[in-house]
Amino acid sequence: MTDASMQGGAAAPSRKSSIHTIDARTKKRNAAEARFKAYGLAAILVGLFFLVVLAVSIVRNGLPAFTETTVDLEFVLTEEQYQEAEGTLFKTAAYTDFFIAGLREQLVEDGVEVAFDEDAIERILGKVGGNLREFYRANEDKLGEPVSFTMSASSRVDGYMNGRVTRDGLEDSRFLMATDLDLVDVLRDAGIITQSFNWNFITGADSGVDNPGGAGIGASVVGSFFMMIVVLVLSLPIGVAASIYLEEFAPQNRFTDLIEVNISNLAAVPSIVFGILGLAVFIQFMHLPQSAPLVGGLVLTLMTLPTIIISTRASLKSVPPSIRDAALGVGASKMQAVFHHVLPLAMPGILTGTIIGLAQALGETAPLLLIGMVGFVARGYPDGFVGGFTEANSAMPAQIYTWAARADVSFYEKAWGGIIILLLFLLTMNIIAIILRRRFERRW
Amino acid sequence: MYDAPNTELHVTQNDIKIAARKVQVYYGDTHAIKDVDVDIEDKTVTAFIGPSGCGKSTFLRCINRMNDTIDICRVEGDIQIDGEDIYDKRVDPVQLRAKVGMVFQKPNPFPKSIYDNIAYGPKIHGLAKNKADLDEIVEKALRRGAIWDEVKDRLHAPGTGLSGGQQQRLCIARAVATEPEVLLMDEPCSALDPIATAQVEELIDELKQNYSVVIVTHSMQQAARVSQKTAFFHLGHLVEYGETGKIFTNPEDTRTESYITGRIG
């Protein structure tokens, strides 16, 4: 006893230290913490950097898709020319020839000094014949009168106006000669070639491979919209009902465990698997129409259900059990307890999960490739699309994929523009999710 | 000497409200309640005391069949309220729970207005014919919960905005709003401060005029203050049951004595 206390007394002075000097061990720990903070900060900065790079490149590549270069011309087609054009074998080519002649006259009238030939004009103009013929066949009464046309220029002229095509390194080809650009400059100064906002890109339908100027994402926005309606109408009630049953009513046994594990597994199944399932079941077995938003919606419903079920179950689980006890304690039945008290409290989580599921479905491409929602050119747009659950259509991501795969660089530009539209929709959905969550949470 | 038999007489005048015989409760393989026999009287406060995990809350939750909500829980034996077996096949637990109200350990008002908290039970049981009826029921329940004066001006404010003690009295008011015959309280004051506890205890004392109140508590002082009868549970057994005064001053079983004097538990 005495020994111990004496030892303690002797040891005490040596262990005594000032809190004004930091010992080695503390220094080491502080250094470790500082290092960890630096790693974290670095990780966030790297992430931000890539985000900025992504955003900038999307905007830079995509914005030109929203402007179009047009050739504006007042043009007269006489009755005789109309008959002549209709009588030839290549009708649209004949119309193109008349338009070129018209433009040439206009240029001569304006006193353009640059030497040019018909081929140069043809290279500058897009394929205008089809549009002209369509117009005059619909409005025969306009024959012989001056009509002002706005025709989209060829994709390379569009590229020149947007700065994608420059004189440096331009090799003469049958698509564009360096001298054509002089003519383009003159036409621009004369106000014949102008740039304007491309509404057609937002409202229009996809065009053929040789007409990038006329391509729009509108039809596929409609297609995506119909698909999302199908997904929402099917997956929200089914998903929520399934989660409520599993979470609140189902007995805990092997069978429900198995279901639970499989739902988690389904959430991780690659989407292309759902695509081939949809192809086999909905199209080959049930004979639903190919390329239809209905089928796309059904396939995406299969994909979205696990997401919705998992998030709904998580938000049901997070409602404190005391609320259930309280409801049961005053004599509510289990169903009343769930629907009057638990479900309203879980609602913000359910809505968030649903919208995130929908956003995921909106951006999904792979399953749509398999059910034929790519490589399609709209006919009868927009009339044929209004009732369009079973009409062939495309969807935004599938449309972007189609454009990116085409040879003409102008389509590549359209693909980037399509991505901007898609991201705008996703951003809107996420904002709606946040607003809904806030609104519902404020009520409690 | 003169008082004692009188009290005895007073207590035994009450009818038996709840009669339990050979009650066994199993959680999976765990035998949580063993052979519990108890007669709980009407218009009396009965306290269940005992160390944690002794089964007093489990037994309480058998009386309104709240244990049915736990999958692995199995109840055997016989519990009768007014001579009717509550575990009979014909009994719907939802109907039973309207008759046997419950107040929980943590105040758990619904995240709705004070008014809706009280009105919910009467609404789902169809006790009110119209809005005026419902208003009257709500006011009556809040008065019986001794919280009317504090909340009458803000009936449509959220119930979760009240203080802990007020919330618990709101929960008691909610429980009495459905006109139960028995009121079960599972440690109703464990989350409250001494002042709120005193208010709730006072309320319990008033409630015994109309109900048979069963209260689980960890505080022996509380049991002594509010109850007329006390049951001591230990390791799933009902060790001793009798007059509160007798249990605290002159227990028959050595385990009861050890618990009360702080040697076990």
Side-chain angles (χ1 to χ4, degrees):
Chain A
M1 198 62 196
T2 335
D3 278 3
S5 63
M6 277 182 59
Q7 233 167 16
S14 70
R15 290 195 55 183
K16 200 171 171 186
S17 64
S18 163
I19 55 165
H20 288 157
T21 55
I22 295 166
D23 63 24
R25 205 180 153 73
T26 313
K27 258 183 205 152
K28 218 170 146 187
R29 284 187 292 175
N30 289 348
E33 193 175 318
R35 269 201 308 278
F36 179 77
K37 279 188 198 161
Y39 295 152
L41 197 64
I44 287 171
L45 287 178
V46 168
L48 276 180
F49 170 74
F50 281 113
L51 188 68
V52 168
V53 168
L54 185 72
V56 166
S57 66
I58 285 175
V59 170
R60 242 194 36 204
N61 286 307
L63 276 186
F66 292 91
T67 59
E68 64 177 340
T69 305
T70 51
V71 179
D72 304 308
L73 187 69
E74 201 152 90
F75 176 66
V76 184
L77 190 76
T78 60
E79 182 77 36
E80 296 82 59
Q81 285 174 319
Y82 176 62
Q83 296 301 342
E84 191 193 327
E86 286 299 308
T88 56
L89 187 59
F90 301 107
K91 297 182 178 68
T92 56
Y95 281 100
T96 310
D97 290 343
F98 288 132
F99 194 77
I100 289 170
L103 183 59
R104 191 189 168 87
E105 272 170 39
Q106 180 73 42
L107 288 173
V108 173
E109 222 171 275
D110 291 352
V112 170
E113 309 262 315
V114 180
F116 60 91
D117 55 14
E118 238 117 278
D119 291 343
I121 299 177
E122 196 170 349
R123 285 193 295 269
I124 290 168
L125 281 176
K127 309 259 173 189
V128 297
N131 292 340
L132 277 176
R133 180 168 184 240
E134 206 174 295
F135 175 81
Y136 281 112
R137 278 165 69 89
N139 309 291
E140 289 201 0
D141 53 317
K142 298 277 193 218
L143 285 169
E145 293 173 28
V147 182
S148 69
F149 284 98
T150 302
M151 297 292 183
S152 38
S154 79
S155 65
R156 279 163 184 79
V157 172
D158 190 43
Y160 173 65
M161 299 285 281
N162 284 329
R164 175 161 49 81
V165 176
T166 55
R167 281 168 202 271
D168 313 330
L170 179 72
E171 280 175 34
D172 286 353
S173 71
R174 65 189 180 87
F175 301 111
L176 190 68
M177 308 276 216
T179 50
D180 296 350
L181 295 180
D182 302 331
L183 181 59
V184 171
D185 287 341
V186 172
L187 288 171
R188 186 176 56 195
D189 296 339
I192 293 175
I193 288 185
T194 51
Q195 271 198 311
S196 56
F197 187 75
N198 190 357
W199 279 109
N200 183 56
F201 178 66
I202 292 171
T203 59
D206 191 15
S207 59
V209 286
D210 55 352
N211 182 18
I217 201 166
S220 47
V221 171
V222 174
S224 280
F225 176 72
F226 282 132
M227 284 202 311
M228 288 306 112
I229 288 182
V230 173
V231 174
L232 185 67
V233 164
L234 289 177
S235 65
L236 183 63
I238 295 175
V240 172
S243 335
I244 291 176
Y245 178 74
L246 282 174
E247 198 56 45
E248 306 283 340
F249 293 96
Q252 284 286 324
N253 56 32
R254 279 229 181 110
F255 181 63
T256 47
D257 281 352
L258 191 74
I259 290 177
E260 217 161 289
V261 169
N262 278 306
I263 287 173
S264 309
N265 285 342
L266 274 182
V269 168
S271 54
I272 197 141
V273 177
F274 288 106
I276 206 153
L277 182 78
L279 177 65
V281 174
F282 297 130
I283 295 178
Q284 288 168 350
F285 177 70
M286 289 165 70
H287 297 293
L288 293 172
Q290 284 178 30
S291 313
L294 176 67
V295 179
L298 286 171
V299 171
L300 293 178
T301 300
L302 295 180
M303 267 195 53
T304 314
L305 266 177
T307 315
I308 291 187
I309 291 178
I310 289 169
S311 68
T312 304
R313 292 192 63 183
S315 42
L316 286 174
K317 234 178 235 157
S318 69
V319 174
S322 67
I323 295 293
R324 291 178 185 84
D325 283 350
L328 295 177
V330 295
S333 67
K334 204 158 183 177
M335 191 162 155
Q336 285 172 327
V338 170
F339 280 88
H340 295 169
H341 300 289
V342 178
L343 201 56
L345 285 175
M347 218 55 197
I350 294 174
L351 287 177
T352 312
T354 304
I355 291 175
I356 287 172
L358 280 183
Q360 227 174 42
L362 184 66
E364 198 56 67
T365 324
L368 305 182
L369 303 183
L370 290 183
I371 57 164
M373 293 190 80
V374 285
F376 124 98
V377 175
R379 266 188 224 101
Y381 176 81
D383 304 338
F385 291 83
V386 180
F389 284 105
T390 53
E391 296 287 328
N393 204 334
S394 186
M396 277 187 272
Q399 185 67 72
I400 291 165
Y401 170 81
T402 312
W403 284 338
R406 283 186 185 162
D408 194 325
V409 265
S410 279
F411 276 117
Y412 184 64
E413 201 175 88
K414 298 279 174 194
W416 282 99
I419 283 172
I420 291 181
I421 302 266
L422 182 63
L423 287 180
L424 283 180
F425 274 96
L426 292 178
L427 201 65
T428 314
M429 287 171 84
N430 281 319
I431 290 171
I432 290 173
I434 291 168
I435 290 173
L436 281 177
R437 198 167 45 199
R438 289 266 168 82
R439 165 100 22 114
F440 272 87
E441 269 171 358
R442 207 174 295 154
R443 276 179 57 192
W444 309 109
Chain B
M1 279 310 277
Y2 182 70
D3 274 0
N6 228 353
T7 332
E8 197 86 277
L9 195 68
H10 170 73
V11 170
T12 46
Q13 263 175 350
N14 292 333
D15 301 328
I16 302 296
K17 188 71 185 172
I18 304 164
R21 292 291 174 270
K22 296 235 167 289
V23 175
Q24 321 280 342
V25 178
Y26 302 89
Y27 286 121
D29 296 331
T30 320
H31 197 172
I33 298 279
K34 297 158 192 162
D35 277 332
V36 168
D37 290 359
V38 68
D39 287 323
I40 292 166
E41 291 166 8
D42 203 4
K43 303 197 194 311
T44 309
V45 178
T46 306
F48 289 178
I49 60 168
S52 295
C54 67
K56 53 195 188 310
S57 285
T58 301
F59 183 70
L60 190 78
R61 291 167 67 92
C62 289
I63 301 174
N64 68 347
R65 293 186 57 173
M66 280 299 272
N67 281 338
D68 288 19
T69 58
I70 301 165
D71 275 338
I72 55 163
C73 181
R74 198 153 47 85
V75 180
E76 286 171 14
D78 197 37
I79 299 177
Q80 296 190 339
I81 292 181
D82 293 333
E84 291 176 327
D85 182 6
I86 64 166
Y87 280 91
D88 192 286
K89 280 194 185 67
R90 286 167 296 177
V91 173
D92 187 333
V94 169
Q95 219 174 316
L96 172 73
R97 286 182 204 131
K99 204 169 168 173
V100 184
M102 188 155 191
V103 176
F104 297 85
Q105 187 168 355
K106 235 180 83 193
N108 55 353
F110 299 127
K112 301 186 173 192
S113 72
I114 292 167
Y115 184 94
D116 287 339
N117 260 285
I118 306 294
Y120 182 68
K123 255 189 217 161
I124 58 172
H125 295 297
L127 299 182
K129 285 182 196 64
N130 50 45
K131 180 83 171 69
D133 257 13
L134 196 60
D135 288 347
E136 202 183 305
I137 289 172
V138 169
E139 180 176 343
K140 201 170 131 197
L142 286 171
R143 278 189 195 284
R144 267 200 259 170
I147 192 179
W148 172 252
D149 290 330
E150 288 155 70
V151 301
K152 65 182 173 200
D153 300 324
R154 46 170 173 154
L155 287 177
H156 295 282
T160 40
L162 298 172
S163 74
Q166 287 174 325
Q167 284 190 14
Q168 193 62 300
R169 278 179 287 147
L170 179 68
C171 292
I172 294 172
R174 181 176 66 191
V176 301
T178 53
E179 300 289 340
E181 296 166 24
V182 178
L183 202 54
L184 307 177
M185 297 185 161
D186 191 355
E187 298 179 43
C189 301
S190 66
L192 304 184
D193 67 14
I195 294 167
T197 302
Q199 287 167 329
V200 171
E201 282 177 6
E202 202 177 317
L203 177 58
I204 292 170
D205 201 51
E206 279 166 33
L207 290 172
K208 80 165 193 281
Q209 316 286 329
N210 300 302
Y211 310 100
S212 168
V213 180
V214 185
I215 175 171
V216 165
T217 177
H218 267 127
S219 153
M220 280 174 279
Q221 291 87 338
Q222 185 174 52
R225 281 195 300 267
V226 300
S227 71
Q228 286 78 55
K229 290 262 192 162
T230 296
F232 171 63
F233 285 78
H234 187 239
L235 301 176
H237 293 284
L238 175 61
V239 174
E240 196 167 347
Y241 175 55
E243 296 295 318
T244 299
K246 185 170 173 301
I247 295 274
F248 280 98
T249 53
N250 189 17
E252 277 168 17
D253 198 286
T254 48
R255 284 171 294 179
T256 316
E257 197 190 344
S258 310
Y259 179 68
I260 285 162
T261 51
R263 280 200 294 274
I264 57 169

